[in-house]
Amino acid sequence: MEQQKKVRMDVVVAGEPLVEFSADRPLTEAETFRLSFSGDALNVAVAAAAAGARTALVSRLGDDEFGERLIRFAAGHGVDTRWLTPGPGPTGAYVVGADPSGERAFAYLRQGSAASRLTAADLLDSPAALARVLVLSGITAALSATCDQAVRSAAEQATGQVVYDANFRARLTAPEAAAATLRAVAPHTAVVKLSVPADSLALVGTADPVETARRVRDLGAPAVAVTMGADGVLLAEGGHLHEIPAVPAPLVVDQTGAGDNFTGAMAAWLARGASLPEAVRAGTAAASLSLAGRGGTGRVAAAAEIVDLLGDPVSGG
C-alpha cells in the first residue's frame, strides 16, 4: 500500500459510489428498474477519466456482489479502482423514477453504508495527497463524522489543487453542519463550486450569485465557481468576475449528474495545466453533453468532444 499511495494521479476523487436503480415511471407506480451505477463521486471520476485524466476513486464498498460489480463498472470506464476497499456495511444505492412531466424523484438506501465508514486514514493510504487535483464533496462529508474528518484532513494535506463541490443535501445533513465544513475546507482549496440557490441559500444565506461568490471568498477560498443552470457559471477568481455562459445541449434526456460531469471535466482540465476559466468552460461543455444520457454516467464526454462543442481549442498543455 505504501508504494501504491505514492502513485502520482492526475485526479483523485473521494466519496461514495452508488448502485442506481432507475425507472421511467413514478416510484409509486414503477415495476421495472434498470441497474446502473452513479453517485456524485463515481460520476466525477468517470467524467474526469473520459476527459483524459489519469483518475482514481477512493472509497469503501460493501463486500457484496454489488460492490464487485461497481468496481468492474468503474474500471471499465477507465477509473483506477485500487483504492475501492471492500469492507463492513452494504454498498450504498438509490432508486430514481420519473413522472410524465420528466421530473426525477430519488430515494436513497445508504444509511450505514460501507462508504460512510471512510476515515482520514483511508485517504492517507491513497494517492490523494499527491494528486494534481483532489476532488472532495459536501456529500462525502455529510455521510458520517469520520467522513467529515476525512474530507477536512485530505484538504489540509493535499499538495495539489483541491476542488470542493459544496453539494448540499438536506436529507443528509443540516445547513449549519455543512456550512461548518465549508468554512474549514475553503482556505485549502483552489476552487469551491456551489450552485444557486440550492447550495448558496443553505450555506451562505443568499441566492445572489455575486454575493455568493463574495461570501465564499471571504471564507478563504481563492476562487469560486457559482453554477446557475441555464444561466451558466459565475467564476470569481482574484479580483475578477468571469461570466461563462452555458453551452446549449445537443440533446436533453436527463439532467441527473450534469453538475458532477462539470466537476469531473473541470478537474481534468486543471490537472493538465489549463487556467481556471478554461477549465470551467470545459466543464460547461461536458455538463451539456451529459444531458443526452440517463443517470449520472449514462453519457460522459471525451476531451475531443468537449473541444469540438466549444468550437475552439481549450489550451492546457
Side-chain angles (χ1 to χ4, degrees), residues 148-212:
D148 183 59
Q149 183 55 45
V151 166
R152 296 183 187 216
S153 176
E156 291 175 4
Q157 297 184 43
T159 57
Q161 299 182 79
V162 175
V163 173
Y164 184 70
D165 190 342
N167 251 342
F168 174 71
R169 296 292 185 271
R171 291 186 179 186
L172 285 176
T173 189
E176 296 79 11
T181 303
L182 174 61
R183 288 194 299 271
V185 171
H188 305 288
T189 63
V191 57
V192 170
K193 169 187 170 279
L194 72 171
S195 66
V196 292
D199 295 334
S200 63
L201 276 175
L203 301 182
V204 292
T206 181
D208 178 77
V210 174
E211 182 63 14
T212 294

Side-chain angles (χ1 to χ4, degrees), residues 160-273:
Q161 299 182 79
V162 175
V163 173
Y164 184 70
D165 190 342
N167 251 342
F168 174 71
R169 296 292 185 271
R171 291 186 179 186
L172 285 176
T173 189
E176 296 79 11
T181 303
L182 174 61
R183 288 194 299 271
V185 171
H188 305 288
T189 63
V191 57
V192 170
K193 169 187 170 279
L194 72 171
S195 66
V196 292
D199 295 334
S200 63
L201 276 175
L203 301 182
V204 292
T206 181
D208 178 77
V210 174
E211 182 63 14
T212 294
R214 186 191 69 78
R215 293 184 186 186
V216 178
R217 289 288 308 281
D218 286 348
L219 298 179
V224 184
V226 183
T227 59
M228 305 178 293
D231 292 327
V233 181
L234 178 70
L235 174 63
E237 181 185 28
H240 303 284
L241 291 176
H242 307 274
E243 295 183 1
I244 300 174
V247 178
L251 176 65
V252 178
V253 173
D254 181 13
Q255 297 183 22
T256 304
D260 302 329
N261 278 266
F262 171 93
T263 301
M266 179 176 67
W269 248 251
L270 288 174
R272 66 168 57 124

Side-chain angles (χ1 to χ4, degrees), residues 19 21 35 37 61-73 86-87 89-91:
V19 182
F21 300 98
L35 173 67
F37 302 93
L61 300 175
D63 189 9
D64 52 39
E65 292 81 1
F66 283 132
E68 293 174 7
R69 290 186 63 171
L70 206 155
I71 289 172
R72 293 201 304 268
F73 180 88
T91 302

